[in-house]
């Protein structure tokens, strides 16, 4: 191992994107605009090898995701392999088209945890955002099956203008479903969500009220429900350490096998992403050019280079810096030290207030999946 490799921590988490197939059509979908086809997905043997390499590399948790991971017929085999390797497996699911018998089979195979997505606290709003009638009631039924099997349950809800005012109802529903954890994350404006930003951006007053609701709930539900929340970047003063720092804590494997430092990394031009079909996972983690590009602090420019937080937030989000400033190397504009910060706040206020005054529509541009699923 080289000196640089010795200084690089082993990853703790692997996001295994098993497929881009999905029954939902969420307007904030963070998957790439160009979805990977079913015919390009890694086969079972390759995924089991990748999981074995991940365990050898030091990964502790595997998040089985998509798309909708239950679209894979070999999911039980992959869960069982995680169990054999001692990897903690978390199923991230939309909660539809998953019969009780199959969930029981996944539990029998060794599944450790279920993370269920909700689009809203009631049927009409949930199903409108999901783009699938009847989805809400399927989700509730699945949550009941998860708890009956004794599996830990996390509820995840992406918030935006159309549901942020109902955050207390989301919290109440998570409690009623018996969830151990609730994850509240504002829509991240990449991929399909960027197309819908004008229809999703909440107003500043809505964000402030939502954060106050969350703080009250954290106090009231301490010891009963863990609540994790991500503040909207567009209204922040400090950037988040995206993915715990580029190439420091976790890695993603796409359905076709490309290995990414973060979910949206392919939006950055000029990066070369290795594939597990042709290179071992450890080599990619320690030696891959895409992982080295923004790992550590050497790549930083001012104000990040001399900032006292440079090894706390690791420069924030490279994909957001690119999308909003034109250069991935720039400071994340969520940071108040960025020269682009004021423009970011103005953009958020302009889009949210324009909708409030009736200057823009609230119709979503829904994701379509027919072509990518062939």
């Amino acid at each position: 191992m080289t000196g640089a490799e010795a200084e690089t921590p082993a990853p703790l988490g692997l996001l295994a994107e098993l497929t881009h197939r999905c029954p939902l059509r969420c307007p904030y979908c963070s998957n790439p605009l160009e979805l990977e086809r079913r015919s390009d997905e890694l086969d079972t043997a390759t995924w089991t090898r990748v999981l074995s390499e991940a365990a050898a590399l030091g990964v502790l948790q595997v998040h089985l995701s998509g798309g909708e991971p239950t679209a894979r017929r070999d999911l039980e085999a992959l869960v069982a392999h995680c169990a054999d390797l001692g990897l903690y497996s978390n199923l991230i699911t939309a909660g539809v088209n998953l019969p009780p018998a199959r969930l029981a089979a996944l539990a029998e195979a060794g599944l450790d945890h279920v993370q269920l997505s909700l689009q809203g606290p009631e049927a009409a709003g949930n199903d409108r955002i999901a783009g699938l009638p009847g989805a809400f009631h399927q989700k509730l039924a699945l949550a009941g099956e998860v708890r009956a099997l004794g599996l830990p349950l996390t509820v995840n809800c992406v918030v935006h203008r159309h549901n942020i005012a109902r955050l207390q109802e989301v919290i109440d529903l998570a409690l009623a479903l018996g969830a151990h954890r609730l994850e509240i994350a504002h829509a991240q404006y990449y991929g399909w969500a960027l197309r819908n930003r004008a229809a999703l951006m909440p107003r500043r007053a809505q964000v402030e009220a939502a954060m106050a609701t969350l703080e009250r709930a954290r106090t009231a539900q301490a010891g009963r429900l863990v609540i994790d929340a991500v503040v909207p970047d567009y209204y922040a003063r400090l950037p988040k350490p995206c993915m715990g720092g580029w190439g420091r804590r976790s890695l993603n494997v796409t359905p076709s096998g490309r290995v990414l430092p973060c979910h949206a990394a392919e939006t950055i031009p000029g990066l070369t992403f290795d594939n597990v079909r042709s290179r071992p996972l450890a080599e990619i983690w320690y030696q891959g050019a895409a992982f080295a590009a923004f790992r550590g602090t050497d790549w930083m420019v001012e104000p990040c280079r001399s900032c006292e937080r440079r090894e706390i937030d690791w420069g924030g989000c490279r994909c957001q810096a690119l999308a909003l400033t034109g250069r991935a190397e720039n400071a994340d504009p969520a940071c108040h030290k960025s020269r682009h910060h004021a423009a970011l706040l103005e953009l958020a206020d302009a889009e949210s207030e324009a909708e409030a005054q009736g200057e823009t529509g609230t119709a979503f541009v829904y994701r379509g999946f027919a072509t990518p699923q062939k």
Side-chain angles (χ1 to χ4, degrees):
M1 182 178 291
T2 67
E5 291 175 11
E7 295 176 1
T8 301
L12 299 178
L14 167 66
L15 180 65
E17 298 176 346
L18 301 180
T19 181
H20 278 161
R21 290 173 279 155
C22 185
L24 305 188
R25 303 169 58 223
C26 302
Y28 53 72
C29 181
S30 59
N31 278 333
L33 294 178
E34 187 74 26
L35 296 175
E36 296 182 2
R37 296 176 180 271
R38 180 176 183 173
S39 58
D40 293 332
E41 293 174 9
L42 299 179
D43 60 19
T44 307
T46 305
W47 268 119
T48 55
R49 174 176 61 79
V50 169
L51 293 170
S52 296
E53 292 179 359
L57 183 56
V59 166
L60 300 177
Q61 297 185 352
V62 174
H63 304 283
L64 302 165
S65 180
E68 175 49 55
T70 60
R72 293 276 305 214
R73 296 179 180 177
D74 59 356
L75 183 59
E76 290 87 341
L78 299 181
V79 167
H81 192 60
C82 286
D84 290 342
L85 294 167
L87 292 169
Y88 188 92
S89 58
N90 174 34
L91 176 65
I92 302 176
T93 179
V96 300
N97 302 331
L98 177 52
R102 191 171 190 207
L103 180 63
L106 290 167
E108 180 66 25
L111 183 66
D112 291 301
H113 186 274
V114 175
Q115 180 174 319
L116 173 65
S117 70
L118 288 177
Q119 284 69 45
E122 42 74 41
N126 181 96
D127 295 355
R128 174 182 175 239
I129 295 166
L132 181 68
F136 183 72
H137 293 297
Q138 290 190 59
K139 291 171 184 285
L140 298 193
L142 179 72
E145 296 292 339
V146 170
R147 299 302 299 127
L149 289 168
L151 290 171
L153 173 66
T154 290
V155 169
N156 172 274
C157 186
V158 175
V159 296
H160 43 79
R161 178 191 307 152
H162 300 271
N163 63 8
I164 194 169
R166 308 192 71 172
L167 204 48
Q168 185 59 56
E169 294 173 65
V170 173
I171 295 167
D172 292 342
L173 180 56
L175 288 166
L177 294 177
H180 293 82
R181 180 181 296 270
L182 171 64
E183 294 184 358
I184 299 293
H186 188 81
Q188 297 294 303
Y189 298 111
Y190 313 114
W192 208 259
L194 187 59
R195 291 192 176 186
N196 283 286
R197 188 175 64 188
L200 293 170
M201 183 68 69
R203 295 186 293 280
R204 183 183 297 274
Q206 289 180 305
V207 173
E208 292 172 352
M211 297 311 296
T213 296
L214 286 171
E215 287 307 311
R216 288 193 299 270
R218 281 194 176 113
T219 300
Q221 304 304 332
R224 184 181 178 193
L225 179 68
V226 176
I227 302 177
D228 292 330
V230 177
V231 179
D233 288 340
Y234 281 47
Y235 289 119
R237 285 193 75 253
L238 295 172
K240 298 185 293 292
C242 186
M243 306 298 292
W246 183 282
R248 295 188 60 83
R249 299 290 298 275
S250 64
L251 69 166
N252 296 22
V253 178
T254 75
S256 66
R258 289 193 299 280
V259 186
L260 314 179
C262 82
H263 190 73
E266 289 178 292
T267 63
I268 301 177
L271 296 183
T272 300
F273 300 101
D274 294 298
N275 196 296
V276 294
R277 299 180 197 266
S278 56
R279 196 174 188 189
L281 198 61
E283 278 190 18
I284 298 173
W285 175 256
Y286 287 114
Q287 302 170 21
F291 282 85
F294 300 109
R295 180 182 273 154
T297 60
D298 289 347
W299 60 271
M300 291 181 178
V301 298
E302 295 295 351
C304 298
R305 180 176 287 275
S306 60
C307 180
E308 67 278 5
R309 291 179 54 84
R310 63 185 177 277
E311 293 188 8
I312 297 174
D313 58 40
W314 301 102
C317 180
R318 298 302 88 222
C319 303
Q320 186 159 265
L322 172 70
L324 295 170
T325 76
R327 291 188 65 216
E329 296 82 2
N330 283 340
D332 185 336
C335 181
H336 68 99
K337 294 183 179 181
S338 166
R339 62 187 178 88
H340 300 279
H341 184 65
L344 176 67
L345 298 180
E346 291 173 5
L347 172 63
D349 286 337
E351 292 202 340
S352 63
E353 290 304 324
E355 188 278 333
Q357 297 168 18
E359 297 174 14
T360 61
T362 59
F364 297 137
V365 180
Y366 286 100
R367 171 137 235 173
F369 287 88
T371 300
Q373 285 188 1
K374 289 181 180 177

